[in-house]
Amino acid sequence: MTENVQADDAVLPAAVMPIPGPSDPMVLPRKAGGRADGKRMLIGMTRTELRAALADIGIPAKQINMRASQVWHWLYHRGVTEIQAMANIAKDMRAVLDQHFVVGRPEVVTAQVSSDGTRKWLLRFDDGEEAECVFIPDAWRGTLCVSSQVGCTLNCRFCHTGTMKLVRNLTPAEIVGQVMLARDALGEWPNGTASLPALPDTDDDEDDRPYIPGAHNAGNNYTPEGRMLTNIVMMGMGEPLYNFDNVRDALQIVMDGDGLGLSKRRITLSTSGVVPMMAKAGHEIGVNLAVSLHAVTKDIRDEIVPINKKYGIEELLQACADYPGANNARRITFEYVMLNGKNDSDEDARELVRLIRRYRLPAKVNLIPFNPWPGSAYECSSPERIRAFSNIIFEAGISAPVRTPRGRDIMAACGQLKSASEKISRAELDRRAAEKELGWVD
């Protein structure tokens, strides 16, 4: 990504603000800019905001609820990309709406398809900033990995995104827009008046019922039997809990039964461990929780997930134990990247089991072979070492599948997202990491 914050001193942050508590959202160096034409995006507005926006442009009070319902239907059931396509709204009313609003989609800068079917989009927003999102097709599901920030607040040392400076949070429109764009690309809007059927309210890894049509014909996939995009993970660029309000509002639209209609059990939010916001996320969003754990000792986690210096392993695991709604049917996922000689010993595996048992966590562990990127300081554990690590956890009665790397050939795999290639020296990586930590490590 061409980071405008480097080229324009006026937008550089004076300092990174402290880590927020439960009710003080992160203060960022930049806010999203508006459109040059002054129009507002309809995508990303809540129902209340949509009704208020219609009132602001003079829609008669008696018509507001009806007009809001019409617009909502065209946006999220039919997937229109322009107001003039809203056929059951009178032509003169469409003209009024067109004067003040646009539907809203991010611009696709590049679209790549991996040899394994993974798709990655580099998206540009109205202010010129960019982020990536990734679609991962599997046999029985299709998962969209969604970004929440341009850059990242944090600096996990194995993660490519963590090398980027934080530019700004994504807005609800930009988060929902990633889902809309993916459905555009996958052909998941109806040509007629039917709606997509509801998916079963489950996200069980062991569920072998196919929800995706066997043909998987991207561009023509709207069928009564199912759809390609079945799951969403907030695991793209950024730390979602440092963009809490916007992520919450976006996911509420995604989960709205009259909106995109995806069950909360089919959405997973991943955090590196922003402990004060975890319970709030459970209460106000209520989706599945994934935690980027990656190490079981203070020294190693301090190194590879430096937010551990602020919120340690014990505090993080207690927050997991307290997470609303976690149970054996809705387990917490611990993400664990396998780094050769760093966190992959038998002793590490046994300590992970001990910690899960100590806090009585309904948990599963996703073991992630490290995906290399230019300038990274780590190597992936060997397949034999990963298998031995997994076996120790499995033998303790805890699920520990090894995630198959997807999209490595297009830099779309876990930990590889970064909106454009950028040659950074080791010294510069260290300097950026130290700058981020100044504001949030005591």
Side-chain angles (χ1 to χ4, degrees):
M1 171 180 176
T2 301
E3 292 186 53
N4 294 339
V5 293
Q6 293 179 327
D8 184 354
D9 290 340
V11 299
L12 279 170
V16 180
M17 299 300 289
I19 279 185
S23 59
D24 52 340
M26 189 74 170
V27 179
L28 292 164
R30 289 185 54 185
K31 292 184 178 180
R35 290 174 54 89
D37 59 12
K39 293 184 179 182
R40 298 179 62 186
M41 281 193 289
L42 292 169
I43 293 295
M45 289 187 187
T46 65
R47 290 175 180 274
T48 300
E49 290 168 340
L50 177 57
R51 287 191 288 266
L54 294 176
D56 288 343
I57 66 169
I59 302 298
K62 291 183 178 180
Q63 295 185 25
I64 285 176
N65 286 339
M66 177 189 69
R67 297 301 184 196
S69 294
Q70 288 176 317
V71 169
W72 193 269
H73 174 85
W74 283 106
L75 294 177
Y76 298 117
H77 283 262
R78 303 294 292 277
V80 299
T81 58
E82 56 183 24
I83 289 170
Q84 290 305 320
M86 299 180 181
N88 68 341
I89 297 178
K91 186 175 181 179
D92 58 347
M93 179 60 67
R94 277 182 273 155
V96 172
L97 295 175
D98 215 12
Q99 290 176 5
H100 300 278
F101 304 110
V102 293
V103 170
R105 288 285 198 282
E107 174 192 352
V108 178
V109 180
T110 60
Q112 297 174 276
V113 181
S114 166
S115 58
D116 63 25
T118 299
R119 296 169 175 234
K120 183 173 78 168
W121 296 280
L122 172 60
L123 307 177
R124 182 175 295 143
F125 305 108
D126 286 337
D127 61 356
E129 298 299 346
E130 297 172 347
E132 293 182 326
C133 69
V134 175
F135 175 73
I136 307 162
D138 285 310
W140 313 124
R141 73 183 67 203
T143 301
L144 184 69
C145 182
V146 174
S147 292
S148 58
Q149 294 180 316
V150 178
C152 188
T153 311
L154 303 179
N155 59 328
C156 300
R157 298 308 292 267
F158 59 87
C159 179
H160 206 192
T161 309
T163 68
M164 297 178 65
K165 291 184 178 181
L166 172 66
V167 179
R168 65 170 176 83
N169 278 337
L170 295 182
T171 66
E174 292 164 343
I175 296 169
V176 176
Q178 295 172 63
V179 183
M180 305 293 283
L181 182 141
R183 287 188 63 175
D184 292 347
L186 298 171
E188 295 209 338
W189 302 110
N191 295 320
T193 58
S195 298
L196 279 167
L199 291 165
D201 190 22
T202 180
D203 188 25
D204 188 347
D205 286 342
E206 285 69 53
D207 192 344
D208 61 359
R209 291 171 296 170
Y211 300 135
I212 307 172
H216 295 187
N217 295 322
N220 185 28
N221 194 58
Y222 182 80
T223 75
E225 290 79 28
R227 64 190 91 176
M228 290 181 74
L229 200 167
T230 64
N231 294 67
I232 289 174
V233 291
M234 296 300 304
M235 296 182 185
M237 297 168 61
E239 165 55 63
L241 294 187
Y242 279 145
N243 187 15
F244 181 85
D245 289 349
N246 290 347
V247 168
R248 176 198 59 207
D249 292 350
L251 290 183
Q252 286 175 348
I253 292 172
V254 171
M255 294 184 291
D256 190 310
D258 293 323
L260 293 172
L262 207 61
S263 164
K264 65 182 180 181
R265 294 193 178 188
R266 291 189 168 272
I267 301 174
T268 299
L269 183 149
S270 177
T271 179
S272 291
V274 186
V275 167
M277 303 298 289
M278 288 169 62
K280 184 178 176 72
H283 287 297
E284 296 188 21
I285 306 176
V287 296
N288 300 318
L289 177 68
V291 174
S292 295
L293 187 61
H294 305 306
V296 293
T297 64
K298 173 177 169 53
D299 288 347
I300 299 302
R301 196 164 194 269
D302 280 357
E303 173 190 337
I304 64 177
V305 189
I307 195 175
N308 195 67
K309 299 174 185 178
K310 181 71 175 180
Y311 303 115
I313 292 173
E314 293 78 10
E315 191 174 359
L316 172 59
L317 295 181
Q318 186 58 55
C320 291
D322 296 337
Y323 186 73
N327 54 49
N328 286 330
R330 295 187 63 195
R331 294 171 291 175
I332 294 171
T333 299
F334 288 109
E335 297 159 319
Y336 199 98
V337 65
M338 299 299 294
L339 303 174
N340 184 41
K342 182 64 66 174
N343 64 351
D344 63 349
S345 68
D346 288 356
E347 183 179 347
D348 290 321
R350 286 189 284 268
E351 177 63 9
L352 179 53
V353 169
R354 188 191 70 81
L355 288 170
I356 291 173
R357 286 176 171 172
R358 176 185 172 187
Y359 288 90
R360 299 180 179 179
L361 297 171
K364 60 181 177 180
V365 179
N366 273 353
L367 300 179
I368 306 168
F370 174 64
N371 297 300
W373 42 268
S376 58
Y378 303 105
E379 295 180 353
C380 183
S381 307
S382 69
E384 295 76 18
R385 179 90 297 269
I386 296 174
R387 191 157 48 247
F389 195 98
S390 175
N391 287 341
I392 290 172
I393 300 171
F394 265 121
E395 288 169 4
I398 299 166
S399 179
V402 178
R403 183 185 296 177
T404 302
R406 301 292 300 275
R408 273 182 170 176
D409 56 330
I410 58 171
M411 292 290 288
C414 181
Q416 289 186 317
L417 296 191
K418 191 171 186 290
S419 47
S421 60
E422 179 187 27
K423 295 181 179 179
I424 307 173
S425 68
R426 172 55 49 192
E428 174 63 11
L429 289 175
D430 291 341
R431 189 194 67 78
R432 289 189 182 184
E435 181 183 77
K436 286 185 178 184
E437 288 184 34
L438 276 177
W440 51 261
V441 177
D442 293 335

